[in-house]
Amino acid sequence: MNLLGKIFVVLIAVMSVVFMTLALAVYATHKNWKEIVEGPTGFRAQLQTSRAEFDQLKKEYNRADSQFKSESESQRQQIRKLEAERVALVDRNAAVQTELDQLKAERRDATAAVAATQQNNQRLAEEVTGLREDIRTNEQARDQAFATTLQATEELHQTKGQYENAIERNRQLTSQVSGMTQVMDAKGIDPNTAPDAIVPTVDGLVSRVRRAAGDQLIELTIGSDDGIKQGNTVEVYRGARYLGRVEIIKTSPDRAVGRVDRRFQQGQIQEGDRVATRLKIN
């Protein structure tokens, strides 16, 4: 075998190894695409599952949309009903006000009629000796005036009763206000103080002490749920020892942060010290 033949033999051997390697690589990376697409967990099963979920979601959407439209229509009917009731109440109120005005006018007319009748009776009494022929007519007029007077008297008694009831109610309210004022004075509350300005009586503990920008800040275990507001002041004490006053600068539902007022500080404030809006040392 000459040199050229040996070279061909080597090339054939090398190419055989290369092709065998390629065949092994292709076999190793081979995938069963039919199994991937049509298998139990394949793309087709996933597509069917997605379609089923889409149909279910669509049904839920249609049901929710139908329910929303039904509730909306019910709310609109309720609104129309309430509007009709409001209009009826407005009309009724106007009718009652008109009737009240009419009754007031009739009462004024009746009062004026009573005054005129009284004047007429006095004039008839002075002329009775010269008007004997008209006595029957005058007696009828007198009877009518008496009926009017009786009606006016009854109305006067009713008005007087209402007036006396109003006086009694006023006396009761005055007594209640006086009692409340005494209680507020006993509690040290100014009766003219606005309700929002009254500081509630609460107490708690100092949970943390720190310094910031030259000020001593303390964190408290009481907050806005206890009635504490920004700007309120609390007193700090340990046992029977008064330590100082703190101004609230920030609140949360169960916590508050305050700044120590150096003008009232009489001792070092520590964690665990007690605070109260009304100082009461046992």
Side-chain angles (χ1 to χ4, degrees):
M1 181 180 295
N2 57 18
L3 179 61
L4 182 61
K6 293 180 179 180
I7 293 173
F8 279 116
V9 170
V10 172
L11 288 175
I12 291 171
V14 171
M15 293 302 294
S16 298
V17 172
V18 171
F19 283 117
M20 183 179 65
T21 304
L22 290 175
L24 291 175
V26 170
Y27 180 77
T29 59
H30 175 71
K31 293 183 179 180
N32 188 352
W33 293 105
K34 183 177 181 180
E35 178 66 22
I36 294 174
V37 174
E38 298 181 355
T41 59
F43 293 153
R44 181 169 296 175
Q46 294 178 5
L47 178 60
Q48 292 176 353
T49 302
S50 299
R51 286 179 177 175
E53 292 178 353
F54 172 76
D55 294 337
Q56 180 65 25
L57 292 174
K58 186 174 181 180
K59 291 179 180 179
E60 293 180 357
Y61 169 78
N62 293 333
R63 182 171 61 254
D65 183 64
S66 176
Q67 182 178 1
F68 172 75
K69 290 180 179 179
S70 177
E71 292 178 355
S72 298
E73 180 62 24
S74 176
Q75 292 294 331
R76 283 193 291 269
Q77 292 178 358
Q78 185 68 18
I79 291 173
R80 288 193 293 268
K81 180 180 179 181
L82 292 175
E83 180 63 20
E85 292 179 356
R86 185 190 69 82
V87 173
L89 288 175
V90 170
D91 295 340
R92 181 179 178 184
N93 184 45
V96 170
Q97 185 63 37
T98 302
E99 184 178 356
L100 178 61
D101 294 339
Q102 183 179 359
L103 289 175
K104 288 181 178 179
E106 291 177 354
R107 183 175 179 179
R108 288 194 298 268
D109 294 341
T111 303
V114 170
T117 302
Q118 291 176 348
Q119 294 177 359
N120 188 40
N121 287 339
Q122 183 178 1
R123 181 177 60 82
L124 291 175
E126 294 175 354
E127 298 177 357
V128 67
T129 56
L131 302 173
R132 299 226 180 236
E133 294 179 357
D134 298 333
I135 189 171
R136 188 186 298 267
T137 304
N138 290 336
E139 287 178 352
Q140 293 176 355
R142 182 191 61 191
D143 294 339
Q144 183 179 2
F146 179 76
T148 304
T149 303
L150 181 60
Q151 182 179 359
T153 302
E154 291 178 355
E155 293 179 356
L156 178 61
H157 289 327
Q158 292 177 359
T159 304
K160 184 177 180 181
Q162 294 175 357
Y163 175 71
E164 291 176 352
N165 291 335
I167 292 177
E168 177 63 21
R169 180 57 179 166
N170 181 64
R171 186 189 64 78
Q172 293 176 358
L173 292 176
T174 302
S175 176
Q176 291 178 2
V177 171
S178 177
M180 292 179 182
T181 302
Q182 292 178 0
V183 173
M184 294 176 72
D185 290 339
K187 295 294 184 179
I189 302 174
D190 186 358
N192 297 321
T193 303
D196 294 339
I198 298 177
V199 180
T201 302
V202 294
D203 62 273
L205 297 174
V206 176
S207 60
R208 185 181 176 189
V209 179
R210 58 189 176 90
R211 289 189 174 275
D215 293 328
Q216 185 177 8
L217 303 180
I218 66 172
E219 184 175 325
L220 311 179
T221 59
I222 53 178
S224 58
D225 287 348
D226 302 297
I228 293 297
K229 300 178 181 178
Q230 183 177 353
N232 292 159
T233 58
V234 295
E235 312 297 335
V236 186
Y237 62 95
R238 186 184 307 126
R241 182 184 177 188
Y242 177 76
L243 299 177
R245 178 174 296 176
V246 174
E247 180 184 359
I248 303 301
I249 60 175
K250 183 179 179 181
T251 62
S252 62
D254 58 350
R255 289 288 186 273
V257 178
R259 180 173 49 244
V260 177
D261 193 338
R262 295 181 179 179
R263 297 174 300 174
F264 299 92
Q265 188 171 4
Q266 298 183 12
Q268 184 64 33
I269 299 176
Q270 302 175 359
E271 295 181 6
D273 291 340
R274 300 197 68 84
V275 296
T277 53
R278 295 290 185 272
L279 187 58
K280 181 180 180 182
I281 301 176
N282 295 326

